[in-house]
Each structure stands twice: as structure tokens, then as C-alpha cells.
């Protein structure tokens, strides 16, 4: 399959979003991307190599970096289509700083690693409205925007039980409150209702969710009240 679709030459295009820079440039599903401004894109490894999730993520990040570092100028994309190499010019647009991934797992979990946002199918299945889903994604995305993973590593925040105590606990609570506040702003900008979304904390809070969403151990009621404060502050502005 890899060789048959020329994916041993570079990443393949599966979908082109209508109206996107890729669509404007004339990219099509089935195209294989070979290079950006003459820099070769990483090819898929051979089937004989065992699948390595870390390497797959690193490869995806490398492709993203190459696309991101083109800035807002027009880049030359070399591509492989129907056995022929051709080039197109593509002008990128600034967009979302995090990619959001759905992980197949029965655990009810969501987390952010500084760059990516992950939520599990187990958590998704418990969400009832788009506002609730937007709250989960916005909260995790806020951790990335506010560089919390870097802050946690730099401050040597403890894991496990130690995470809730003393200095570690204080830093965790501060980052969680900041993530909620930024999430509220992101949700308002995107047209969602932050207070309704944060209601998921109250609804699922008692069902043993050992996840980032409850890392701060502030009560659901106080977090929803704080979210109401974010909405009120935006009305005043
Ligand atoms: Zn959090």
C-alpha cells in the first residue's frame, strides 16, 4: 500500500478542506507531498519497520513545523500526482496552535502535552453538548497556549499524590485556574457558551474522572462561578 500510493516518497493528502490554502493552491486528495521550498518532507518508513507511535508523532510534527515555518509567504510545494512531479505555490494562513486528537480508550481522559490536545473516546461518549466538548478542548488548548507543560517541567511539579500538595499543588491550581479563564475567552470567541460547557464539571465530577479536568481539585461550583465571571467581564468590555 505504501509503495502503491507513493507514500514511501512523502506524506499523502487525504482530504482538502474547501476554501483552504491547499484548495486554492490546487492540491487534491491522492497527491503525495515531496518537498516544501526544496526541503524534502519525511517519507513513510517501510512496512518491515515496527510501528513506533513516538516516531510517527515526531514525523507528523516535523511536517507541521516545515509548513509552519513557511510563515505567511508563498511556498513552493513539490508534489507527486499520477506518476508526475509538479509544483504549486501555496500561501498559508495563521490558524489554530494545537492539533486535537481523539484517542481510542475507555478511560475518561483529556490532556495537553504543550502542542497537541488529546481526548479519549471514553470521555467523548459522556459529553452531551457541543458546549461541553468545546470546554474540554478549550481547557486543554489553553494549557498549550499558556505553555503550562513547560512551566510544570521547569518547576519540577510532582506527579501522583504529591501533585496536589504544597508547592506543586499551588502551581497546579494556578495553572488550572488560568486554563479555565483562557478557555472561557476561547469559547466566547468561537461562539460557545462557557458556563454551559463548564457544567460538565458538575455533571461528571462525581463519577471518578481522574483527569486533567479535575487536577486542581477546586469544586465544580467554584469553577463554574469563575467561568460566569469570565463571561461577565467580557460583557463589560
Ligand atoms: Zn487542566
Amino acid at each position: 500500500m505504501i509503495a502503491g500510493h507513493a507514500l514511501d516518497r512523502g506524506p499523502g493528502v487525504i482530504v482538502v478542506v474547501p476554501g483552504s490554502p491547499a484548495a486554492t493552491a490546487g492540491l487534491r486528495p491522492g497527491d503525495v507531498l515531496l518537498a516544501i521550498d526544496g526541503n524534502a518532507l519525511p517519507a513513510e518508513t517501510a512496512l518491515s519497520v515496527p510501528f513506533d507511535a513516538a516516531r510517527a508523532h515526531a514525523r507528523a510534527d516535523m511536517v507541521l513545523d516545515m509548513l509552519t515555518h513557511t510563515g505567511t509567504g508563498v511556498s513552493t510545494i513539490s508534489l507527486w500526482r499520477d506518476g508526475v512531479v509538479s509544483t504549486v505555490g501555496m500561501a498559508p494562513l495563521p490558524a489554530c496552535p494545537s492539533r486535537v486528537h481523539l484517542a481510542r480508550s475507555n478511560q475518561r481522559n483529556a490532556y495537553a502535552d504543550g502542542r497537541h490536545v488529546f481526548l479519549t473516546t471514553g470521555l467523548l461518549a459522556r459529553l452531551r453538548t457541543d458546549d461541553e466538548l468545546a470546554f474540554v478542548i478549550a481547557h486543554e488548548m489553553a494549557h498549550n497556549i499558556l505553555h503550562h507543560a513547560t512551566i510544570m517541567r521547569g518547576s519540577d511539579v510532582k506527579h501522583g499524590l504529591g501533585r496536589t500538595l504544597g508547592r506543586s499543588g499551588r502551581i497546579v491550581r494556578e495553572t488550572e485556574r488560568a486554563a479555565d479563564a483562557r478557555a472561557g475567552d476561547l469559547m466566547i470567541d468561537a461562539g460557545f457558551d462557557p458556563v454551559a460547557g463548564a457544567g460538565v464539571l458538575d455533571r461528571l465530577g462525581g463519577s471518578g474522572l481522574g483527569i486533567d479536568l479535575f487536577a486542581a481539585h477546586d469544586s465544580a461550583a467554584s469553577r463554574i462561578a469563575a467561568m460566569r465571571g469570565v463571561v461577565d467581564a467580557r460583557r463589560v468590555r
Side-chain angles (χ1 to χ4, degrees):
M1 287 291 287
I2 290 170
H5 290 86
L7 295 175
D8 52 349
R9 303 190 59 144
V13 176
I14 297 170
V15 156
V16 177
V17 177
S20 65
T24 307
L27 286 180
R28 290 189 220 147
D31 288 347
V32 174
L33 306 180
L34 303 178
I36 299 172
D37 292 332
N39 300 308
L41 286 155
E44 184 54 280
T45 46
L47 276 185
S48 56
V49 178
F51 179 72
D52 177 343
R55 192 173 52 210
H57 280 157
R59 175 172 173 269
D61 282 348
M62 187 178 161
V63 173
L64 274 180
D65 280 343
M66 291 176 72
L67 288 165
T68 307
H69 290 164
T70 59
T72 51
V74 175
S75 297
T76 303
I77 313 259
S78 306
L79 57 91
W80 176 265
R81 179 185 292 164
D82 301 329
V84 180
V85 178
S86 59
T87 58
V88 297
M90 186 167 79
L93 283 173
C96 183
S98 280
R99 301 197 79 193
V100 179
H101 305 267
L102 187 60
R104 196 188 296 263
S105 166
N106 287 331
Q107 290 185 348
R108 295 192 289 271
N109 208 346
Y111 55 101
D113 69 355
R115 173 161 191 163
H116 302 270
V117 168
F118 300 88
L119 74 148
T120 62
T121 47
L123 176 58
L124 183 68
R126 299 295 303 276
L127 302 177
R128 287 189 186 157
T129 65
D130 285 353
D131 287 324
E132 291 185 354
L133 176 59
F135 172 76
V136 171
I137 293 174
H139 176 94
E140 299 304 331
M141 202 174 273
H143 278 312
N144 285 347
I145 291 168
L146 298 170
H147 305 293
H148 285 164
T150 310
I151 290 169
M152 299 288 214
R153 275 194 295 273
S155 311
D156 196 25
V157 168
K158 294 184 173 55
H159 293 281
L161 191 59
R163 197 176 147 86
T164 63
L165 304 171
R167 185 174 152 277
S168 289
R170 203 164 54 243
I171 294 169
V172 168
R173 279 190 295 277
E174 280 168 10
T175 55
E176 291 305 321
R177 285 169 193 157
D180 274 358
R182 180 61 64 93
D185 275 327
L186 291 172
M187 289 180 73
I188 292 167
D189 288 343
F192 294 99
D193 180 340
V195 177
V200 71
L201 297 169
D202 193 31
R203 197 165 63 72
L204 295 185
S207 56
L209 293 172
I211 64 174
D212 168 70
L213 286 171
F214 297 96
H217 297 279
D218 284 345
S219 72
S222 69
R223 291 177 67 183
I224 293 167
M227 197 57 99
R228 210 164 273 127
V230 172
V231 173
D232 290 344
R234 284 284 291 259
R235 285 215 185 94
V236 173
R237 261 185 240 166

